[in-house]
Amino acid sequence: MPAVAPHDRRPARVEDTVGTAQLTAVPEPKYWHLRSVLLRAIDSEFSTGQVIPNERDLAARFGVARATLRQALDQLELEGRLVRRRGIGTLVAAPRVGVPVSRREEGWPGGTREQVWQNIDCTSAPASEQLAKALGIQAGETVHTVRRVRVTQGQTVATESLHVPDATVAQVPAIRLSGAAAEGDDQARSLMRRLERLTVDGESRAVELGVAEAEEAALLQRPPGTPVLVVTTQYASAGRLAALGVSTYRADTCRLTFGETGLVEVTPVAAATPTATRTA
Amino acid sequence: MPAVAPHDRRPARVEDTVGTAQLTAVPEPKYWHLRSVLLRAIDSEFSTGQVIPNERDLAARFGVARATLRQALDQLELEGRLVRRRGIGTLVAAPRVGVPVSRREEGWPGGTREQVWQNIDCTSAPASEQLAKALGIQAGETVHTVRRVRVTQGQTVATESLHVPDATVAQVPAIRLSGAAAEGDDQARSLMRRLERLTVDGESRAVELGVAEAEEAALLQRPPGTPVLVVTTQYASAGRLAALGVSTYRADTCRLTFGETGLVEVTPVAAATPTATRTA
DNA sequence: CAGTGGTCTAGACCACCCC
DNA sequence: GGGTGGTCTAGACCACTGA
C-alpha cells in the first residue's frame, strides 16, 4: 500500500490522480479514499479470515491519524467486509450468509424441521400499550412471548421475540410435556406445539435497519450498537392477527432471502456493496 | 438535560445510578450512555423536524468532548432517529416510511400504475463477468440496464438498476414511441413496455445492508457511505431468470414491507430499534 | 507481558447555509 | 458575517487477548 507525506492536510482531489485539472472536482474525504484503497487491497491481496495490519501501522503507512483510519475501517465493517476483534486484530470477513426467511424456517406451523431456532425462554404478561396496539388487542390482555435465537453454522445470527396473544391459543388445549417442569424452554416448546395446531393463512413482513441494545447484543455475541436487520412479521389466522414476531438479524453477517427459493443462486451485483455469496 | 462534571474520566458504571454496589457492573461507554439520554430526550421533549441544540453546546452540557458526543449522534442517526444537515443543525427525524416492495410496485409487469419509479436512463452493454454470472448467461452477451429512482412523497427513497439480458426481450418486437428519439428516458420506457409483455411466474429477493457509493449517494441526496438496504430481485419467466433488479433504499428513512399487505398496520415493537410507523 | 482494538480528549480547519 | 455539521490531528488510557 502506498505511503503519503505526513501532515498533508490538503483535501484529496481527483486532480491528484488525473493530470489535467478539471476544476469541477469534489474534495473527497480522506477516510473515504482510504476505504476504497483498503477495499481494493482486501479484495486482491487478502483472503477470508486473514488478519490485516494493525490500525497504528496502517495509519502510519497512509500518513493519517489513527482516528481517520478507523473511520475507513468503520465503513468497511458496516459493509460486512471486515471484522474487528479486540485484542486480536482486524480480519477479512467471510461473505455474508444467505438466511432464508419464511414461515417454514420459523418452525411454525409446518413442523419443527431441523431446529433452526432454539428456544431461550417463554414469559406471559399483560400487554403494554405499545405491544397491544401492534397486536390489535386491548392493553392489559395476556400475551405470551417466546424468546429464541437462530443458529446457523454454529453461529448465532438472530434473536426473536414471538408475541402470541392468549386469545390466539385459548381454544387450543395445553400440552403436557414429559415432566411437569415449567422451565423456560419447556414452556416455550409447549406454546409452539399449540401454535402448530393453528392454520396460518398468511403473513406480512417489514424489514428495517436497527441497532442491537445491550441484551440483544449479548445474545448475538456483539457489542451494543451493532447494526441489525429488524424483521417484523405478522401472522394471520382466520383473518385476524394471530401473532407477531420481531427478529433481529446481524447485519454484518446476514443476507436475508425471501420468496420461492430462487432459480439461481442470488449473487449480488456491484451496486452499493458488492459481495460474494453463500447460502445457509 | 443533566450536566456532568467535566474532565470526569471515570467510566460510567451502573452503580452510579443504583446506590448499592453490585460489582458485576460493566463499564458502559460514555457515548452509549449519552445515546440513551438523548434518545429519551428526543422522545419526550422534542417533536419531528425540530432542531436539537448544536454539537458544541451539547458536548459542553454533558461535559464530554465533541467527538464523543458525535459518536452518540452517529448511533441515533443510524437508527433513523436524527437527521444532520450541514450548515443547519441536527433535526429529529420523521418516523420511517413504509415502502411496499413487490412486483406490483415495480411497475412490471402489472402495468405502470401511479409511477412510483422514474426512469433515468437506459444503457446496453456486454455483460461483465460478474453480471453474467448473476444473470446466468455468458459474459459478453448484451444486457440492457434501466436505471431509475423511486420517489415517495416528493423524496427519493431508492435507486435501482434493472438488468435485462437481450435474450429476454429478443422475441418481443421493439416498440416505437412518439418521436424517433433514442433519448435515455425513452429507451427505458420502450424496454419496460416490452417487458410488460412477458409472463413473470415468480421472483425471489434478498435484502442486506450496504453503503451508497458516490453516484448512488448523489441520487439519494445523501453523502457517500450512507447506509442503504440493498434489495436484489430475481424475476423468473418460463423457468428461466428473465431479469435482475438491484435496488438500494435509504436505510434511514425506509421500512421495507413485503407480503400480502397486512391486516393491521405494521407497528414495530420495542425491540432493537423502536419506531412509530407510517405507510407510503 | 506486549500487542490489539475501543474509548476519549482538546484542540483545529473546512464546507455549507442563511442572514 | 456567524453558526452549523464534517473532517482531521496527536496524543492518552482502557479492556481484552494470547504467549
Side-chain angles (χ1 to χ4, degrees):
Chain A
M1 307 180 190
V4 170
H7 295 251
D8 180 358
R9 302 195 76 287
R10 280 181 314 159
R13 298 180 178 275
V14 292
E15 292 100 76
D16 291 355
T17 334
V18 191
T20 59
Q22 260 272 0
L23 262 278
T24 55
V26 179
E28 189 188 37
K30 276 189 185 178
Y31 78 88
W32 187 254
H33 180 246
L34 278 180
R35 170 193 165 277
S36 314
V37 175
L38 290 169
L39 186 53
R40 256 193 306 276
I42 64 181
D43 272 338
S44 61
E45 300 168 30
F46 293 87
S47 52
T48 293
Q50 201 171 346
V51 181
I52 72 174
N54 72 58
E55 299 182 350
R56 289 165 180 86
D57 282 356
L58 282 177
R61 180 147 19 167
F62 288 109
V64 299
R66 192 178 154 216
T68 303
L69 178 89
R70 277 182 61 81
Q71 233 180 317
L73 296 184
D74 285 345
Q75 284 282 341
L76 292 169
E77 193 180 27
L78 187 66
E79 298 171 49
R81 303 302 305 264
L82 293 177
V83 180
R84 292 196 272 192
R85 281 211 246 275
R86 192 194 285 229
I88 305 290
T90 302
L91 293 70
V92 176
R96 289 208 177 105
V97 181
V99 183
V101 176
S102 76
R103 207 185 315 163
R104 207 176 260 102
E105 275 76 25
E106 292 294 315
W108 173 57
T112 325
R113 297 178 115 261
E114 343 134 351
Q115 195 69 9
V116 291
W117 290 95
Q118 295 179 4
N119 297 329
I120 294 182
D121 60 15
C122 179
T123 60
S124 301
S128 69
E129 191 165 340
Q130 188 192 24
L131 182 55
K133 194 181 158 208
L135 283 168
I137 61 176
Q138 295 293 314
E141 290 186 35
T142 301
V143 172
H144 309 289
T145 300
V146 176
R147 193 115 172 93
R148 47 186 189 166
V149 296
R150 180 165 182 167
V151 181
T152 300
Q153 297 170 8
Q155 195 198 223
T156 303
V157 294
T159 76
E160 181 179 75
S161 290
L162 183 62
H163 304 283
V164 184
D166 189 60
T168 296
V169 288
Q171 289 91 334
V172 182
I175 294 177
R176 272 271 166 208
L177 292 174
S178 50
E183 202 245 312
D185 184 35
D186 277 357
Q187 276 189 39
R189 207 182 301 266
S190 167
L191 182 61
M192 295 307 290
R193 291 267 173 82
R194 292 167 78 182
L195 277 177
E196 286 169 25
R197 284 180 163 61
L198 280 181
T199 44
V200 174
D201 25 62
E203 68 220 53
S204 68
R205 292 201 175 78
V207 179
E208 64 184 312
L209 179 60
V211 305
E213 309 256 349
E215 187 194 356
E216 224 128 39
L219 287 172
L220 294 176
Q221 300 164 309
R222 295 257 63 197
T226 299
V228 290
L229 296 172
V230 182
V231 182
T232 310
T233 310
Q234 296 178 319
Y235 296 96
S237 181
R240 287 184 62 260
L241 213 180
L244 181 72
V246 181
S247 322
T248 65
Y249 288 81
R250 282 181 57 160
D252 57 344
T253 55
C254 294
R255 172 211 318 296
L256 308 183
T257 63
F258 300 87
E260 313 99 29
T261 48
L263 331 135
V264 191
E265 194 81 328
V266 180
T267 312
V269 176
T273 305
T275 321
T277 294
R278 208 173 47 175
T279 306
Chain B
M1 307 177 189
V4 171
H7 295 250
D8 180 357
R9 302 196 75 288
R10 280 182 313 160
R13 298 181 179 275
V14 294
E15 293 99 76
D16 292 353
T17 333
V18 191
T20 58
Q22 260 271 0
L23 264 276
T24 54
V26 179
E28 188 188 37
K30 277 189 184 177
Y31 78 89
W32 187 253
H33 181 245
L34 278 180
R35 170 192 165 276
S36 314
V37 174
L38 290 169
L39 187 53
R40 257 193 306 277
I42 65 180
D43 271 337
S44 60
E45 301 168 32
F46 293 88
S47 53
T48 293
Q50 202 172 346
V51 182
I52 72 173
N54 72 59
E55 299 181 350
R56 289 166 180 86
D57 282 357
L58 282 177
R61 182 149 14 168
F62 288 110
V64 300
R66 191 175 154 220
T68 303
L69 178 89
R70 277 183 62 82
Q71 232 180 319
L73 295 185
D74 285 345
Q75 285 281 341
L76 292 169
E77 193 181 27
L78 187 66
E79 297 171 48
R81 302 302 305 264
L82 292 178
V83 180
R84 292 197 272 192
R85 281 210 245 275
R86 193 197 287 234
I88 304 290
T90 302
L91 293 70
V92 176
R96 290 209 177 104
V97 182
V99 183
V101 176
S102 76
R103 207 184 317 165
R104 209 176 257 101
E105 276 76 22
E106 292 294 315
W108 173 57
T112 324
R113 296 178 117 262
E114 343 133 351
Q115 195 69 9
V116 292
W117 291 95
Q118 295 179 5
N119 298 328
I120 294 183
D121 60 15
C122 178
T123 60
S124 301
S128 69
E129 191 164 341
Q130 188 192 22
L131 182 55
K133 194 181 159 208
L135 284 169
I137 61 176
Q138 295 294 314
E141 290 186 34
T142 300
V143 173
H144 308 288
T145 300
V146 176
R147 193 113 172 93
R148 46 186 190 166
V149 297
R150 181 165 183 169
V151 180
T152 299
Q153 297 168 9
Q155 195 197 222
T156 304
V157 295
T159 76
E160 181 178 76
S161 290
L162 183 62
H163 304 283
V164 184
D166 189 60
T168 296
V169 288
Q171 290 90 337
V172 182
I175 294 176
R176 272 271 166 208
L177 292 175
S178 49
E183 202 245 313
D185 185 35
D186 277 357
Q187 276 190 37
R189 207 182 300 267
S190 168
L191 181 62
M192 294 308 288
R193 291 266 173 82
R194 292 167 79 180
L195 277 176
E196 286 170 25
R197 284 181 164 63
L198 280 182
T199 44
V200 173
D201 26 61
E203 68 220 52
S204 69
R205 292 201 174 77
V207 179
E208 64 184 312
L209 179 60
V211 305
E213 310 257 349
E215 187 194 355
E216 224 128 39
L219 287 173
L220 294 175
Q221 301 164 309
R222 295 256 65 197
T226 300
V228 289
L229 296 172
V230 182
V231 182
T232 310
T233 310
Q234 296 179 318
Y235 296 96
S237 181
R240 288 183 63 258
L241 214 181
L244 181 72
V246 180
S247 322
T248 65
Y249 288 80
R250 282 180 57 159
D252 56 345
T253 56
C254 295
R255 173 213 313 300
L256 308 182
T257 63
F258 300 87
E260 314 97 30
T261 49
L263 332 135
V264 192
E265 194 81 327
V266 180
T267 312
V269 177
T273 304
T275 321
T277 292
R278 209 173 46 176
T279 305

